[in-house]
Amino acid sequence: MKKPVSYIPSLIGSVILVFTIIATSALLLMDINATPSKLKNLAQKNNIESKVYSELEKYFTDKYNSTGIPAEVYMAPIDQEYIRCFEEAIIDSAFEAVDGSGVMSAVRPQNKALENSKDTFFNDFADKNNYEKDENFDLKLSNTKDNAYLTISSFCDVYKFSAMSSKGILKKAARLYSNRLILTAAAIGFNIFLIVLLIIINRKKRMTAMYWCGISAMIAGIIGAVPSIYLIATRYYDSFSIKQAAVFTAFTSAMYKLTEAFAAIQIALIVLGLATAVIYGIIGDKKKYPDTKPTQIS
């Protein structure tokens, strides 16, 4: 019979260790995967630029009836490289925000060809229609350029960071993200503390601490892996209703990537926990039956 003096504290410590392991793996996942380079690579891998280009072209074509400005005035100076540049500038701005104040700075990569295209169209229109090029003309031209940049920014912000910034979500995320290294170090430190505590509790039979740690890792892995595998297997994120193809692709690919990475960590924990428990069993049996092969123990 297990001694309550060591069994109950070990059980409590093991349960706490389960949840601290899950929390630590989530923090490590954020450190490794929630980075500007990861999102940029993911967007490029899924050819997001071509989807944004198609959506922009459709938008400006549909707006022709209300603005009178042909879509090619906007689209001729825009290529996928410029769209990618805009996307990456927004991503960088968002991560600078969550790593600091939580407020995104304005992003507006200059496109002189686009501005010249607008100038040419407005001046040709004014010349053909004898429209006076006064202050109102200059103001309308300036506003049209600003609106063009705002529209391009809206479509290039495939992760919707601007919307999150305006709603204060990035500011809340900044409190966690900017302190992620400290939190990760603290979580790892607390795991080590619990392991040492289990060793102290089982000091008369220290190998028992290996059993408790192995079981904790295995249970933590199961708790994290089961829902993650379910989300991936059922393609759960595909059920989200997002009208913009670029935003849908960016969001679902990012979520699947994070879920897959989290599932991989949890599966590794299951394997590690199982291996630790098996090693404990073999060593324990060897101590009970010295000079006997494990296969000879019945």
Side-chain angles (χ1 to χ4, degrees), residues 28-190:
L28 288 171
L29 177 72
M30 182 174 66
D31 290 339
I32 297 169
N33 289 277
T35 63
S37 60
K38 292 283 186 181
L39 290 185
K40 290 175 186 178
N41 292 337
L42 202 57
Q44 190 170 351
K45 181 181 177 181
N46 287 282
N47 200 21
I48 298 294
E49 295 82 15
S50 65
K51 293 180 174 64
V52 172
Y53 186 91
S54 298
E55 290 172 352
L56 273 172
E57 188 172 40
K58 182 180 183 306
Y59 174 84
F60 287 126
T61 300
D62 293 342
K63 291 291 287 183
Y64 172 72
N65 292 330
S66 59
T67 64
I69 304 174
E72 57 265 24
V73 174
Y74 294 97
M75 299 308 299
I78 297 174
D79 56 17
Q80 291 188 28
E81 186 62 34
Y82 177 68
I83 290 173
R84 181 180 302 157
C85 176
F86 220 129
E87 288 174 356
E88 293 182 353
I90 291 171
I91 292 171
D92 287 335
S93 178
F95 274 88
E96 286 172 7
V98 294
D99 211 13
S101 65
V103 179
M104 282 182 67
S105 58
V107 174
R108 184 173 168 169
Q110 193 173 27
N111 188 327
K112 290 299 295 182
L114 175 60
E115 294 180 22
N116 291 336
S117 178
K118 300 290 291 183
D119 288 336
T120 301
F121 175 79
F122 268 71
N123 283 301
D124 288 347
F125 178 86
D127 291 340
K128 289 177 182 178
N129 295 275
N130 296 318
Y131 191 89
E132 185 181 355
K133 299 178 184 179
D134 54 10
E135 290 183 2
N136 288 331
F137 174 86
D138 293 336
L139 180 61
K140 188 166 185 177
L141 176 57
S142 178
N143 288 339
T144 304
K145 290 179 182 179
D146 290 340
N147 288 334
Y149 280 117
L150 288 172
T151 300
I152 296 169
S153 177
S154 175
F155 279 91
C156 288
D157 187 8
V158 292
Y159 296 106
K160 292 303 173 187
F161 286 124
S162 296
M164 288 190 278
S165 178
S166 63
K167 293 180 180 178
I169 296 173
L170 290 187
K171 188 170 285 189
K172 293 178 181 177
R175 297 170 189 167
L176 176 64
Y177 189 83
S178 60
N179 295 305
R180 65 193 182 283
L181 296 179
I182 296 173
L183 291 172
T184 302
I188 293 172
F190 191 61

Side-chain angles (χ1 to χ4, degrees), residues 280-293:
Y280 166 77
I282 293 173
I283 294 174
D285 283 336
K286 286 294 290 180
K287 285 189 175 183
K288 288 180 183 178
Y289 306 96
D291 302 320
T292 306
K293 295 180 179 180

